[in-house]
Amino acid sequence: MLLIYRSILKELISTLLLSLLFLNFTLMMEHLLRLSKVLVGMGTSLFDMGKLIIYLQPQILILTIPMAMLLSVLIVYGRMNADNELTVMRGTGMSFREISRPVAYLGLGCLVTGIIMSFFLGPLGSSLLRHKLMEILTTQAPMTIEEGIFNTAFKDIVILVQKKPSPDKLAGIHIIDEREKGQQRVIIAEEGRIIPEADALSFSLTKGHIYIIKKSVFTEISFGRYFFRLAPSAEPQKKKSNELTPFELLSEAKKNPEKRASFLLDFHRRISMLALCLILIPLGPALSLMSGKTGKLGGLTVGLSVFAFYYVLLIYGESLGRSGKLPLATGAWFSFAVIGIFSLWVFKGANRR
Protein backbone atom coordinates (compact mmCIF):
# COMPACT_ATOMS: atom_id res chain seq x y z
CA MET A 1 0.00 0.00 0.00
CA LEU A 2 2.90 2.34 0.75
CA LEU A 3 4.18 1.78 -2.80
CA ILE A 4 0.75 2.68 -4.19
CA TYR A 5 0.62 5.88 -2.12
CA ARG A 6 4.12 6.83 -3.21
CA SER A 7 3.28 6.29 -6.88
CA ILE A 8 0.06 8.33 -6.67
CA LEU A 9 1.74 11.12 -4.69
CA LYS A 10 4.60 11.31 -7.18
CA GLU A 11 2.14 11.75 -10.06
CA LEU A 12 0.15 14.29 -8.05
CA ILE A 13 3.24 16.41 -7.34
CA SER A 14 4.43 16.39 -10.95
CA THR A 15 0.95 17.34 -12.19
CA LEU A 16 0.73 20.02 -9.48
CA LEU A 17 3.96 21.63 -10.67
CA LEU A 18 2.79 21.63 -14.28
CA SER A 19 -0.56 23.12 -13.23
CA LEU A 20 1.23 25.82 -11.23
CA LEU A 21 3.39 26.63 -14.23
CA PHE A 22 0.34 26.96 -16.48
CA LEU A 23 -1.74 29.01 -14.00
CA ASN A 24 1.13 31.26 -12.92
CA PHE A 25 2.02 32.00 -16.54
CA THR A 26 -1.61 32.86 -17.32
CA LEU A 27 -2.05 35.22 -14.34
CA MET A 28 1.43 36.69 -14.72
CA MET A 29 0.60 37.84 -18.25
CA GLU A 30 -2.22 39.97 -16.88
CA HIS A 31 0.11 41.60 -14.33
CA LEU A 32 2.83 42.18 -16.91
CA LEU A 33 0.36 43.80 -19.31
CA ARG A 34 -0.59 46.27 -16.58
CA LEU A 35 3.05 46.96 -15.76
CA SER A 36 3.91 47.42 -19.42
CA LYS A 37 1.54 50.40 -19.55
CA VAL A 38 3.80 52.09 -17.01
CA LEU A 39 7.18 50.77 -18.16
CA VAL A 40 6.69 51.03 -21.92
CA GLY A 41 9.32 53.16 -23.58
CA MET A 42 11.61 53.33 -20.52
CA GLY A 43 14.20 50.89 -21.77
CA THR A 44 13.76 48.47 -18.87
CA SER A 45 16.46 45.79 -18.97
CA LEU A 46 15.75 42.06 -19.12
CA PHE A 47 17.41 41.69 -15.72
CA ASP A 48 14.97 44.17 -14.16
CA MET A 49 12.02 42.50 -15.88
CA GLY A 50 13.22 39.17 -14.49
CA LYS A 51 13.25 40.63 -10.99
CA LEU A 52 9.71 41.94 -11.43
CA ILE A 53 8.53 38.49 -12.53
CA ILE A 54 10.16 36.86 -9.49
CA TYR A 55 8.63 39.42 -7.10
CA LEU A 56 5.19 38.74 -8.61
CA GLN A 57 5.33 34.99 -7.96
CA PRO A 58 4.49 34.80 -4.20
CA GLN A 59 1.27 36.82 -4.56
CA ILE A 60 0.24 34.78 -7.60
CA LEU A 61 1.01 31.51 -5.80
CA ILE A 62 -1.41 32.43 -3.00
CA LEU A 63 -4.18 32.19 -5.60
CA THR A 64 -2.85 29.41 -7.79
CA ILE A 65 -1.77 26.83 -5.19
CA PRO A 66 -5.37 25.77 -4.31
CA MET A 67 -6.37 25.87 -7.98
CA ALA A 68 -3.37 23.79 -9.05
CA MET A 69 -4.00 21.33 -6.25
CA LEU A 70 -7.58 20.69 -7.35
CA LEU A 71 -6.58 20.43 -11.01
CA SER A 72 -3.81 17.94 -10.23
CA VAL A 73 -6.13 15.75 -8.17
CA LEU A 74 -8.84 15.81 -10.82
CA ILE A 75 -6.39 15.02 -13.61
CA VAL A 76 -4.57 12.20 -11.77
CA TYR A 77 -7.62 10.56 -10.22
CA GLY A 78 -9.58 11.12 -13.42
CA ARG A 79 -6.90 9.25 -15.33
CA MET A 80 -6.92 6.47 -12.75
CA ASN A 81 -10.69 6.27 -13.05
CA ALA A 82 -10.53 6.18 -16.85
CA ASP A 83 -7.92 3.39 -16.71
CA ASN A 84 -10.04 1.47 -14.17
CA GLU A 85 -7.24 1.66 -11.60
CA LEU A 86 -9.65 2.94 -8.94
CA THR A 87 -11.96 0.01 -9.65
CA VAL A 88 -9.09 -2.46 -9.19
CA MET A 89 -8.00 -0.79 -5.92
CA ARG A 90 -11.50 -0.93 -4.49
CA GLY A 91 -11.77 -4.52 -5.66
CA THR A 92 -8.76 -5.39 -3.47
CA GLY A 93 -10.59 -4.09 -0.41
CA MET A 94 -9.26 -0.50 -0.25
CA SER A 95 -11.87 2.04 0.76
CA PHE A 96 -12.20 5.32 -1.09
CA ARG A 97 -10.94 7.05 2.05
CA GLU A 98 -7.71 5.03 1.86
CA ILE A 99 -7.34 5.65 -1.88
CA SER A 100 -7.64 9.40 -1.21
CA ARG A 101 -4.93 9.46 1.47
CA PRO A 102 -2.18 10.76 -0.92
CA VAL A 103 -4.41 13.80 -1.54
CA ALA A 104 -4.32 14.52 2.20
CA TYR A 105 -0.53 14.58 2.12
CA LEU A 106 -0.61 16.85 -0.92
CA GLY A 107 -3.17 19.14 0.73
CA LEU A 108 -1.11 19.52 3.90
CA GLY A 109 1.96 20.33 1.81
CA CYS A 110 0.00 22.95 -0.14
CA LEU A 111 -1.33 24.39 3.13
CA VAL A 112 2.17 24.81 4.59
CA THR A 113 3.42 26.35 1.32
CA GLY A 114 0.41 28.70 1.26
CA ILE A 115 1.09 29.82 4.84
CA ILE A 116 4.68 30.68 3.92
CA MET A 117 3.49 32.62 0.87
CA SER A 118 0.66 34.44 2.65
CA PHE A 119 2.46 35.33 5.87
CA PHE A 120 6.00 35.95 4.65
CA LEU A 121 6.97 35.75 0.98
CA GLY A 122 3.78 37.33 -0.43
CA PRO A 123 4.02 40.64 1.49
CA LEU A 124 7.81 40.67 1.01
CA GLY A 125 7.49 40.13 -2.74
CA SER A 126 4.87 42.87 -3.07
CA SER A 127 7.05 45.31 -1.13
CA LEU A 128 10.12 44.48 -3.23
CA LEU A 129 8.02 44.85 -6.39
CA ARG A 130 6.89 48.30 -5.30
CA HIS A 131 10.43 49.46 -4.52
CA LYS A 132 11.79 48.01 -7.76
CA LEU A 133 9.10 49.75 -9.79
CA MET A 134 9.87 52.99 -7.98
CA GLU A 135 13.56 52.57 -8.78
CA ILE A 136 12.89 51.86 -12.46
CA LEU A 137 10.48 54.74 -12.85
CA THR A 138 12.64 57.31 -11.08
CA THR A 139 15.79 56.35 -12.99
CA GLN A 140 14.27 55.61 -16.38
CA ALA A 141 11.38 58.06 -16.52
CA PRO A 142 13.58 61.00 -17.69
CA MET A 143 14.24 59.01 -20.86
CA THR A 144 10.54 59.17 -21.73
CA ILE A 145 10.49 62.96 -21.68
CA GLU A 146 11.00 63.95 -25.29
CA GLU A 147 10.71 67.20 -27.18
CA GLY A 148 7.21 68.11 -28.29
CA ILE A 149 5.59 64.92 -26.91
CA PHE A 150 3.06 64.82 -24.07
CA ASN A 151 4.38 62.62 -21.23
CA THR A 152 1.80 60.83 -19.05
CA ALA A 153 4.06 58.38 -17.19
CA PHE A 154 2.95 59.87 -13.89
CA LYS A 155 -0.58 59.72 -12.56
CA ASP A 156 -2.59 62.94 -13.02
CA ILE A 157 0.51 64.67 -14.46
CA VAL A 158 1.08 65.82 -18.04
CA ILE A 159 4.52 67.11 -19.03
CA LEU A 160 5.44 68.82 -22.28
CA VAL A 161 8.85 70.29 -23.11
CA GLN A 162 9.78 72.23 -26.21
CA LYS A 163 13.51 71.43 -26.14
CA LYS A 164 15.77 68.95 -24.37
CA PRO A 165 19.40 70.08 -24.83
CA SER A 166 20.73 67.19 -22.70
CA PRO A 167 19.21 64.17 -20.85
CA ASP A 168 18.73 66.17 -17.64
CA LYS A 169 18.21 69.70 -19.04
CA LEU A 170 14.86 70.99 -20.32
CA ALA A 171 13.60 74.19 -21.94
CA GLY A 172 10.10 75.50 -22.55
CA ILE A 173 8.45 73.40 -19.85
CA HIS A 174 4.67 73.01 -19.42
CA ILE A 175 3.28 70.86 -16.59
CA ILE A 176 -0.37 70.18 -15.75
CA ASP A 177 -0.81 68.87 -12.20
CA GLU A 178 -4.23 67.43 -11.25
CA ARG A 179 -3.18 65.30 -8.26
CA GLU A 180 -5.34 67.29 -5.84
CA LYS A 181 -9.06 66.78 -6.36
CA GLY A 182 -10.93 69.90 -7.34
CA GLN A 183 -7.71 71.76 -8.09
CA GLN A 184 -5.61 72.14 -11.20
CA ARG A 185 -2.12 73.59 -11.36
CA VAL A 186 -0.46 74.71 -14.57
CA ILE A 187 3.29 75.30 -14.31
CA ILE A 188 5.22 77.05 -17.05
CA ALA A 189 8.98 77.53 -16.86
CA GLU A 190 11.65 78.72 -19.29
CA GLU A 191 14.27 76.20 -18.15
CA GLY A 192 14.60 73.24 -15.83
CA ARG A 193 16.76 70.37 -14.69
CA ILE A 194 15.73 66.78 -13.86
CA ILE A 195 16.87 65.61 -10.41
CA PRO A 196 16.34 61.86 -9.79
CA GLU A 197 15.87 60.90 -6.13
CA ALA A 198 15.65 57.59 -4.28
CA ASP A 199 11.85 57.48 -4.16
CA ALA A 200 10.69 60.24 -6.48
CA LEU A 201 11.59 62.49 -9.38
CA SER A 202 12.15 66.21 -8.94
CA PHE A 203 12.41 69.14 -11.35
CA SER A 204 14.35 72.28 -10.57
CA LEU A 205 12.51 74.95 -12.59
CA THR A 206 13.63 78.52 -13.20
CA LYS A 207 11.86 81.68 -14.45
CA GLY A 208 8.25 80.70 -14.62
CA HIS A 209 4.66 80.98 -13.43
CA ILE A 210 2.21 78.77 -11.54
CA TYR A 211 -1.50 79.07 -12.31
CA ILE A 212 -3.77 77.49 -9.68
CA ILE A 213 -7.43 76.93 -10.54
CA LYS A 214 -9.70 75.86 -7.68
CA LYS A 215 -13.44 76.12 -8.27
CA SER A 216 -13.99 79.80 -9.11
CA VAL A 217 -10.68 81.01 -7.67
CA PHE A 218 -7.74 81.68 -9.99
CA THR A 219 -4.26 82.31 -8.55
CA GLU A 220 -1.09 83.28 -10.38
CA ILE A 221 2.37 82.94 -8.82
CA SER A 222 5.66 83.99 -10.40
CA PHE A 223 8.91 82.32 -9.34
CA GLY A 224 12.62 82.58 -9.98
CA ARG A 225 13.30 79.00 -8.90
CA TYR A 226 10.79 76.28 -8.06
CA PHE A 227 11.26 72.63 -7.08
CA PHE A 228 8.52 70.34 -8.39
CA ARG A 229 8.52 66.83 -6.85
CA LEU A 230 6.40 63.89 -7.89
CA ALA A 231 6.17 60.13 -7.32
CA PRO A 232 5.53 57.61 -10.12
CA SER A 233 1.93 56.63 -10.77
CA ALA A 234 2.33 52.95 -9.99
CA GLU A 235 3.46 53.37 -6.41
CA PRO A 236 1.76 55.23 -3.57
CA GLN A 237 3.98 55.86 -0.56
CA LYS A 238 1.69 53.98 1.83
CA LYS A 239 1.77 50.20 1.84
CA LYS A 240 -0.98 48.39 -0.04
CA SER A 241 -2.97 45.62 1.63
CA ASN A 242 -1.12 42.93 -0.33
CA GLU A 243 2.13 44.13 1.26
CA LEU A 244 0.75 43.48 4.75
CA THR A 245 0.83 40.19 6.62
CA PRO A 246 -2.48 38.89 8.06
CA PHE A 247 -1.43 40.19 11.50
CA GLU A 248 -0.69 43.61 10.04
CA LEU A 249 -4.09 43.64 8.33
CA LEU A 250 -5.76 43.16 11.74
CA SER A 251 -3.61 45.93 13.19
CA GLU A 252 -4.52 48.31 10.36
CA ALA A 253 -8.21 47.48 10.83
CA LYS A 254 -7.95 48.71 14.43
CA LYS A 255 -6.01 51.85 13.50
CA ASN A 256 -8.29 52.85 10.57
CA PRO A 257 -11.98 52.51 11.53
CA GLU A 258 -13.05 54.00 8.18
CA LYS A 259 -11.26 51.19 6.31
CA ARG A 260 -11.95 48.48 8.87
CA ALA A 261 -14.25 46.45 6.59
CA SER A 262 -11.74 46.42 3.73
CA PHE A 263 -8.82 45.29 5.91
CA LEU A 264 -10.88 42.61 7.68
CA LEU A 265 -12.19 41.21 4.40
CA ASP A 266 -8.63 41.05 3.06
CA PHE A 267 -7.60 39.21 6.23
CA HIS A 268 -10.43 36.67 6.02
CA ARG A 269 -9.86 36.16 2.29
CA ARG A 270 -6.17 35.45 2.90
CA ILE A 271 -6.96 32.86 5.61
CA SER A 272 -9.85 31.24 3.74
CA MET A 273 -7.67 30.73 0.66
CA LEU A 274 -5.26 28.78 2.86
CA ALA A 275 -8.01 26.73 4.46
CA LEU A 276 -9.38 25.93 1.03
CA CYS A 277 -6.55 23.41 0.60
CA LEU A 278 -8.10 21.34 3.40
CA ILE A 279 -11.55 21.38 1.80
CA LEU A 280 -10.10 20.25 -1.52
CA ILE A 281 -8.76 17.05 0.10
CA PRO A 282 -12.18 15.33 0.10
CA LEU A 283 -13.56 17.34 -2.85
CA GLY A 284 -10.93 16.48 -5.48
CA PRO A 285 -11.12 12.67 -5.46
CA ALA A 286 -14.92 12.70 -5.23
CA LEU A 287 -15.26 15.08 -8.19
CA SER A 288 -12.94 12.88 -10.24
CA LEU A 289 -15.51 10.09 -9.94
CA MET A 290 -18.43 12.41 -10.69
CA SER A 291 -16.74 13.71 -13.86
CA GLY A 292 -16.68 10.16 -15.21
CA LYS A 293 -14.04 8.87 -17.61
CA THR A 294 -13.49 12.12 -19.45
CA GLY A 295 -9.74 12.16 -18.80
CA LYS A 296 -7.54 15.24 -18.37
CA LEU A 297 -9.78 17.62 -20.33
CA GLY A 298 -12.75 16.75 -18.13
CA GLY A 299 -10.69 17.31 -14.98
CA LEU A 300 -9.51 20.69 -16.21
CA THR A 301 -13.07 21.75 -17.05
CA VAL A 302 -14.50 20.60 -13.72
CA GLY A 303 -11.66 22.22 -11.75
CA LEU A 304 -12.00 25.61 -13.43
CA SER A 305 -15.79 25.45 -13.04
CA VAL A 306 -15.48 24.78 -9.31
CA PHE A 307 -13.19 27.77 -8.81
CA ALA A 308 -15.38 30.00 -10.95
CA PHE A 309 -18.31 29.04 -8.73
CA TYR A 310 -16.18 29.60 -5.61
CA TYR A 311 -15.15 33.12 -6.65
CA VAL A 312 -18.73 34.05 -7.52
CA LEU A 313 -19.77 32.98 -4.01
CA LEU A 314 -16.77 34.80 -2.55
CA ILE A 315 -17.71 38.09 -4.21
CA TYR A 316 -21.37 37.63 -3.26
CA GLY A 317 -20.54 36.86 0.39
CA GLU A 318 -18.16 39.81 0.69
CA SER A 319 -20.75 42.16 -0.82
CA LEU A 320 -23.24 40.97 1.79
CA GLY A 321 -20.65 41.65 4.48
CA ARG A 322 -19.85 45.13 3.15
CA SER A 323 -23.53 46.06 2.98
CA GLY A 324 -24.15 44.90 6.56
CA LYS A 325 -26.63 42.17 5.64
CA LEU A 326 -24.22 39.63 7.13
CA PRO A 327 -21.41 39.98 9.68
CA LEU A 328 -18.09 40.57 7.94
CA ALA A 329 -16.64 37.23 9.03
CA THR A 330 -19.76 35.34 7.94
CA GLY A 331 -19.81 37.01 4.54
CA ALA A 332 -16.09 36.40 4.01
CA TRP A 333 -16.38 32.69 4.87
CA PHE A 334 -19.70 32.14 3.08
CA SER A 335 -18.12 30.64 -0.05
CA PHE A 336 -15.83 28.44 2.04
CA ALA A 337 -18.79 27.08 4.01
CA VAL A 338 -20.80 26.27 0.87
CA ILE A 339 -17.88 24.52 -0.85
CA GLY A 340 -17.01 22.74 2.40
CA ILE A 341 -20.50 21.30 2.88
CA PHE A 342 -20.63 20.27 -0.76
CA SER A 343 -17.22 18.57 -0.60
CA LEU A 344 -18.11 16.55 2.50
CA TRP A 345 -21.41 15.51 0.90
CA VAL A 346 -19.88 14.31 -2.37
CA PHE A 347 -17.01 12.56 -0.58
CA LYS A 348 -19.42 10.75 1.71
CA GLY A 349 -21.37 9.59 -1.35
CA ALA A 350 -18.21 8.44 -3.14
CA ASN A 351 -16.99 6.55 -0.06
CA ARG A 352 -20.26 4.61 0.12
CA ARG A 353 -20.01 3.28 -3.44
Side-chain angles (χ1 to χ4, degrees):
M1 189 172 293
L2 183 61
L3 182 61
I4 294 175
Y5 289 161
R6 188 181 302 170
S7 177
I8 295 175
L9 188 58
K10 183 179 179 181
E11 188 174 355
L12 283 172
I13 292 174
S14 61
T15 309
L16 173 71
L17 295 177
L18 290 174
S19 300
L20 281 175
L21 185 63
F22 166 72
L23 293 171
N24 276 35
F25 179 79
T26 303
L27 294 182
M28 187 177 63
M29 287 300 100
E30 186 268 336
H31 286 280
L32 289 178
L33 284 174
R34 283 194 292 132
L35 290 176
S36 66
K37 295 179 181 179
V38 181
L39 302 178
V40 64
M42 292 191 179
T44 306
S45 67
L46 290 177
F47 182 71
D48 286 337
M49 288 301 297
K51 280 189 174 181
L52 295 179
I53 292 173
I54 292 173
Y55 296 153
L56 279 170
Q57 296 310 305
Q59 279 295 327
I60 295 176
L61 283 170
I62 293 174
L63 301 174
T64 57
I65 284 176
M67 297 174 65
M69 176 188 166
L70 180 58
L71 288 179
S72 64
V73 174
L74 289 172
I75 291 173
V76 172
Y77 277 73
R79 183 202 60 76
M80 293 169 61
N81 187 38
D83 294 342
N84 295 316
E85 292 181 15
L86 296 182
T87 304
V88 173
M89 290 181 189
R90 303 192 74 169
T92 61
M94 292 179 65
S95 66
F96 193 69
R97 189 188 304 272
E98 291 176 321
I99 296 173
S100 303
R101 188 171 298 175
V103 181
Y105 300 145
L106 183 72
L108 292 176
C110 289
L111 176 63
V112 173
T113 306
I115 291 173
I116 295 173
M117 294 297 166
S118 184
F119 281 73
F120 305 106
L121 296 184
L124 177 62
S126 296
S127 180
L128 290 174
L129 177 66
R130 180 169 68 92
H131 289 299
K132 189 60 184 178
L133 276 174
M134 181 70 72
E135 177 187 333
I136 292 173
L137 290 172
T138 53
T139 57
Q140 301 293 334
M143 298 181 183
T144 66
I145 299 177
E146 300 179 15
E147 297 179 357
I149 297 177
F150 290 98
N151 183 285
T152 57
F154 305 92
K155 186 177 181 182
D156 299 323
I157 299 288
V158 179
I159 301 173
L160 175 66
V161 299
Q162 294 179 353
K163 294 182 180 180
K164 191 177 180 182
S166 66
D168 63 337
K169 290 184 179 181
L170 309 173
I173 306 161
H174 297 75
I175 300 174
I176 300 176
D177 182 359
E178 297 181 325
R179 289 176 294 181
E180 294 186 27
K181 293 183 178 180
Q183 176 178 298
Q184 183 184 67
R185 290 195 302 166
V186 179
I187 304 171
I188 300 175
E190 294 183 10
E191 297 177 347
R193 181 183 294 272
I194 300 173
I195 306 175
E197 298 180 10
D199 60 349
L201 192 68
S202 295
F203 295 83
S204 176
L205 308 177
T206 56
K207 300 178 184 179
H209 301 271
I210 302 175
Y211 303 96
I212 303 174
I213 305 170
K214 188 174 183 180
K215 295 182 179 179
S216 58
V217 180
F218 178 83
T219 305
E220 179 181 356
I221 302 173
S222 299
F223 62 84
R225 183 176 295 277
Y226 177 70
F227 288 93
F228 180 73
R229 188 175 188 273
L230 53 88
S233 62
E235 305 302 330
Q237 296 299 313
K238 198 171 182 180
K239 279 188 175 182
K240 292 182 179 181
S241 60
N242 60 0
E243 297 177 44
L244 303 174
T245 66
F247 299 118
E248 290 174 336
L249 287 172
L250 290 177
S251 177
E252 289 295 325
K254 294 179 181 179
K255 295 178 183 178
N256 301 282
E258 69 280 359
K259 296 183 178 180
R260 177 177 176 272
S262 178
F263 283 121
L264 287 179
L265 286 175
D266 284 338
F267 168 79
H268 288 296
R269 187 186 306 122
R270 197 89 63 85
I271 302 301
S272 65
M273 286 299 295
L274 295 176
L276 190 61
C277 294
L278 299 178
I279 290 299
L280 296 179
I281 292 175
L283 180 62
L287 282 181
S288 67
L289 293 183
M290 294 179 62
S291 60
K293 299 184 178 182
T294 53
K296 295 182 179 181
L297 183 60
L300 180 64
T301 304
V302 172
L304 294 178
S305 300
V306 168
F307 269 93
F309 180 64
Y310 171 79
Y311 282 115
V312 168
L313 291 178
L314 179 66
I315 295 172
Y316 176 68
E318 289 185 350
S319 65
L320 291 178
R322 290 181 189 275
S323 63
K325 295 180 181 179
L326 285 177
L328 279 176
T330 305
W333 288 85
F334 174 75
S335 57
F336 178 85
V338 172
I339 297 296
I341 293 172
F342 175 71
S343 66
L344 294 177
W345 176 69
V346 296
F347 184 81
K348 187 177 180 180
N351 196 43
R352 285 179 176 177
R353 291 184 183 181

